[in-house]
C-alpha cells in the first residue's frame, strides 16, 4: 500500500476508533503516523495530481479502511461469538410479554404474545412496552388451559406454536456463560423432574438445588430424613451442587435460605431459574421476590411485573429478565424443559390439572384386606391407578402393602388379571380417569409400555423400594405386615415379582424408599460418611 494511501486512511479515522487495534506503548510508531495525520505533499506543477485524482485517492483509502476494519472485526468476533449469542436471550432483542417471555405481536390473536394494536402503539409511544402482558397470559391466569408447545415432550390438545426442542435451544448458551443456576425439582416427582442431562445445559456452573412442594408431603414427615435422602440421591449425579434447599412457594418455607445462598454465591453473576416444565418456577420466583422485597426496593418494584403461574406445562415460552438485585446481576425465569417421559407429555390438556396434587399427600394403601373378600391372594391381581397405570402382581408375599402417593383424583381399582383388559376398555374415561370423558378416551393411546420388575430385599422392617411413575407420583412397596409371624417371614424367599404398564414413553424408576410420614423416621438409616465425604457433601437447608 502506498504511503499516501495509508496517510489518507489514518486521516479518515480518529485514532480512538474502537475498531483500530491498540498498539503497545513501547512499540515505535511508524514515521507516517508521527506527522499529526498530515499526508506527504503531492508536489506541484503540471505533473501534480488534479483535485479529482486526490478525491478518488481519498475514496480508495476509505474503502481500504473499511476492508481492514471488517477483517479485524471478523477476527475479534470469533472469540466473542458465544457472548454475542448469549446476548440474544435478553429483552433487548425486542419487547416481550412479561408473563411468558413470548415476543409481543399484533397479528395473530391465538398465538402467544398477542396484544391489541391500539394498546401496543399507546404503550410504545409512552415507552411502556415492558408493562404489557399478552392475551394468552391473561387467560392462563384465569384458569384457561391454553397449550402452546408441541413436538417431542408436548401434549395433545390446543394449538401449538413452538416445539420443545426450540425451547431447549434457548438454554444452551448457559454452558458458556458464567452464571449461577437455581435448579428446581418437584419432591412429588423427584426422579421424573430432576433433568438427568442437566450438565449438557449448565456446564460447570454452580448449582443451588431447590426442592419444591415439600408442604405436600404427608404429615409428621421428618425433614432431616428427607434432606439426607435427597443429598444421597443428588451425589450420585456428580453435579456441582453447592447446597440443597427444601422449600414451599405457597407457604414460603425455606425461601429465606435460598435468598441468602443466592446472595452468597452470586458474585455479580446473572441468576437463572431452571427446571422441567410445570415444576413451579414461576411460583418460586413470585415467592423469592416476596421475601427479597422486605429488604430490597428493586425486588419490591419487580413484584408488579412477574411471570404468570399456570398448571399448563410450557407457560413460559422465552427467557424473562427480572430486575431483582440491587447490587448488580439479573434474575431470569427460563422456559421449562419439556421431558417426553412424563405423564404430562401424553395426557389431554384438560386433564393436566388432575396430575398436580392440590393438597397434602395421603397415601392410599392397598392390601389383601382392602382388595375385597372375593380375593384369596394378591397374586394374579391387576391394580389400576386411574387410567394411567396398571400393576400386575405375579409373586407377592402375603400381607404386602402397596401405598400409592399421588393426586387424590386418581382412584385405585383391582380385578383379576385375566379380566383386566376387558375391565380397562369398559371403564376407561368413566371409572378409570384420566383420561376424562368418552371423547378424550377415544383418542387415548393406552397402556402400551410394560416393564417387568423383580425386587429383592433383605430387611423386613422397612419398605423394599419405591416404584416412581414419571410425572405422577410413586408406589411404596412394603413386603412386611404386622399380621405375619416373624418365623414365617424369615422362611420366605425375599423377592417380589410384578409388572407395571404405563403409556409409552412414560418412564418407570425403581429407587430407595422415600422416608415419608411418621414411620419413615423410624426405619430410615443414615449412612456413615468418611471425613472427605463430610467435607465435600452439599449441605441441605430447611
Amino acid at each position: 500500500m502506498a504511503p499516501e494511501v495509508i496517510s489518507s486512511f489514518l486521516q479518515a479515522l480518529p485514532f480512538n476508533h474502537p475498531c483500530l487495534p491498540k498498539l503497545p506503548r513501547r512499540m515505535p510508531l511508524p514515521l507516517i503516523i508521527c506527522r499529526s495525520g498530515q499526508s506527504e505533499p503531492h508536489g506541484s506543477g503540471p505533473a501534480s495530481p488534479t483535485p479529482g485524482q486526490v478525491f478518488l485517492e481519498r475514496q480508495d483509502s476509505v474503502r481500504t479502511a473499511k476492508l481492514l476494519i471488517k477483517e479485524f472485526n471478523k477476527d475479534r468476533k470469533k472469540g466473542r461469538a458465544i457472548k454475542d449469542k448469549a446476548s440474544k436471550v435478553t429483552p433487548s432483542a425486542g419487547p416481550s410479554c412479561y408473563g411468558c417471555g413470548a415476543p409481543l405481536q399484533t397479528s395473530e390473536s391465538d398465538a402467544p404474545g398477542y396484544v391489541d394494536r391500539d394498546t401496543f402503539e399507546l404503550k410504545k409511544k409512552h415507552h411502556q412496552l415492558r408493562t404489557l402482558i399478552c392475551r394468552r397470559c391473561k387467560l392462563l391466569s384465569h384458569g384457561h388451559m391454553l397449550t402452546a408447545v408441541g413436538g417431542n415432550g408436548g401434549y395433545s390438545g390446543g394449538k401449538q406454536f413452538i416445539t420443545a426442542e426450540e425451547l431447549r435451544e434457548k438454554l444452551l448458551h448457559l454452558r458458556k456463560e458464567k452464571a449461577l443456576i437455581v435448579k428446581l425439582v418437584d419432591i412429588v416427582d423427584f426422579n421424573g423432574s430432576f433433568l438427568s442431562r442437566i450438565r449438557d445445559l449448565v456446564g460447570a456452573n454452580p448449582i443451588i438445588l431447590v426442592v419444591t412442594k415439600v408442604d405436600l408431603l404427608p404429615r409428621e414427615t421428618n425433614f432431616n430424613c428427607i434432606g439426607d435422602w435427597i443429598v444421597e440421591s443428588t451425589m450420585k449425579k456428580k453435579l456441582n451442587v453447592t447446597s440443597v434447599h427444601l422449600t414451599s412457594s405457597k407457604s414460603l418455607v425455606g425461601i429465606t435460605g435460598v435468598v441468602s445462598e443466592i446472595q452468597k454465591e452470586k458474585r455479580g453473576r446473572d441468576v437463572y431459574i431452571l427446571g422441567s416444565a410445570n415444576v413451579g418456577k414461576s411460583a418460586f420466583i413470585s415467592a423469592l421476590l416476596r421475601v427479597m422485597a422486605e429488604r430490597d426496593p428493586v425486588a419490591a418494584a419487580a413484584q408488579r411485573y412477574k411471570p404468570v403461574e399456570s398448571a399448563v406445562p410450557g407457560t413460559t415460552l422465552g427467557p424473562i429478565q427480572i430486575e431483582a438485585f440491587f447490587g448488580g446481576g439479573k434474575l431470569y425465569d427460563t422456559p421449562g424443559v419439556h421431558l417426553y417421559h412424563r405423564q404430562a407429555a401424553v395426557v389431554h390438556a384438560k386433564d393436566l390439572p388432575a396430575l398436580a396434587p392440590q393438597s397434602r399427600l395421603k397415601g392410599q394403601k392397598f392390601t389383601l384386606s382392602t382388595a375385597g373378600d372375593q380375593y384369596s391372594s394378591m397374586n394374579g391381581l391387576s391394580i389400576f391407578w386411574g387410567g394411567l397405570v396398571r400393576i400386575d402382581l405375579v409373586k407377592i408375599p402375603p400381607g404386602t402393602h402397596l401405598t400409592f402417593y399421588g393426586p387424590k383424583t386418581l382412584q385405585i381399582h383391582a380385578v383379576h388379571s385375566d379380566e383386566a383388559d376387558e375391565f380397562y376398555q369398559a371403564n376407561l374415561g368413566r371409572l378409570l380417569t384420566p383420561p376424562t370423558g368418552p371423547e378424550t378416551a377415544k383418542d387415548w393411546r393406552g397402556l402400551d409400555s410394560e416393564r417387568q420388575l423383580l425386587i429383592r430385599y433383605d430387611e423386613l422392617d422397612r419398605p423394599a423400594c419405591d416404584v416412581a411413575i414419571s410425572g405422577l407420583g410413586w408406589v411404596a412397596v412394603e413386603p412386611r405386615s404386622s399380621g405375619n409371624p416373624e418365623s414365617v417371614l424369615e422362611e420366605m424367599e425375599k423377592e417380589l415379582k410384578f409388572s407395571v404398564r404405563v403409556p409409552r414413553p412414560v418412564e418407570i424408576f425403581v429407587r430407595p424408599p422415600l422416608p415419608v410420614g411418621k414411620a419413615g423416621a423410624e426405619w430410615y438409616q443414615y449412612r456413615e460418611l468418611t471425613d472427605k465425604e463430610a467435607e465435600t457433601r452439599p449441605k441441605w437447608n430447611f
Side-chain angles (χ1 to χ4, degrees), residues 258-286:
V258 180
V259 173
S260 300
E261 189 71 13
I262 288 176
Q263 297 293 358
K264 173 185 173 183
E265 298 288 341
K266 185 165 68 71
R267 300 170 187 171
R269 294 175 291 192
D270 291 335
V271 179
Y272 288 82
I273 310 299
L274 200 68
S276 62
N278 218 34
V279 78
K281 295 187 302 300
S282 297
F284 171 76
I285 289 177
S286 179

Side-chain angles (χ1 to χ4, degrees), residues 172-399:
L172 294 179
H173 68 94
L174 292 176
R175 289 181 296 185
K176 303 298 182 181
E177 290 244 356
K178 290 185 177 181
L180 177 62
I181 308 300
V182 179
K183 171 176 157 45
L184 270 59
V185 181
D186 185 348
I187 188 61
V188 180
D189 185 28
F190 184 84
N191 298 83
S193 65
F194 196 90
L195 301 180
S196 58
R197 299 176 61 186
I198 183 67
R199 294 181 68 178
D200 294 345
L201 294 177
V202 305
N205 284 315
I207 299 173
I208 298 175
L209 182 65
V210 174
V211 182
T212 63
K213 307 178 184 179
V214 298
D215 56 329
L216 296 178
L217 292 178
R219 296 186 185 278
E220 299 184 349
T221 295
N222 188 314
F223 286 99
N224 287 314
C225 301
I226 297 294
D228 187 79
W229 186 92
I230 291 172
V231 172
E232 285 290 316
S233 301
T234 303
M235 289 184 65
K236 298 176 182 178
K237 309 288 185 181
K238 297 181 179 180
L239 300 175
N240 184 18
V241 175
T242 62
S243 60
V244 176
H245 299 261
L246 310 183
T247 68
S248 166
S249 300
K250 184 178 180 180
S251 62
L252 300 184
V253 167
I255 302 298
T256 302
V258 180
V259 173
S260 300
E261 189 71 13
I262 288 176
Q263 297 293 358
K264 173 185 173 183
E265 298 288 341
K266 185 165 68 71
R267 300 170 187 171
R269 294 175 291 192
D270 291 335
V271 179
Y272 288 82
I273 310 299
L274 200 68
S276 62
N278 218 34
V279 78
K281 295 187 302 300
S282 297
F284 171 76
I285 289 177
S286 179
L288 198 70
L289 293 176
R290 283 178 60 188
V291 173
M292 293 172 59
E294 297 176 1
R295 297 185 178 182
D296 192 338
V298 177
Q303 287 190 94
R304 186 175 180 183
Y305 305 109
K306 57 188 178 183
V308 168
E309 302 174 29
S310 169
V312 178
T315 298
T316 303
L317 299 176
I320 302 175
Q321 177 181 302
I322 304 171
E323 302 289 343
F325 304 115
F326 182 76
K330 295 177 176 60
L331 179 69
Y332 285 93
D333 184 13
T334 61
V337 180
H338 286 254
L339 303 175
Y340 68 93
H341 58 73
R342 301 182 77 194
Q343 289 280 6
V346 296
V347 303
H348 193 276
K350 69 178 183 180
D351 286 329
L352 289 173
L355 301 182
Q358 301 299 321
S359 58
R360 190 181 296 273
L361 297 178
K362 186 177 181 181
Q364 301 182 62
K365 282 188 179 293
F366 180 86
T367 63
L368 187 60
S369 60
T370 60
D373 297 334
Q374 67 271 31
Y375 304 117
S376 58
S377 170
M378 293 181 67
N379 296 329
L381 292 183
S382 293
I383 306 171
F384 290 97
W385 196 11
L388 303 178
V389 181
R390 170 181 166 179
I391 301 177
D392 295 333
L393 307 179
V394 179
K395 182 180 180 182
I396 303 295

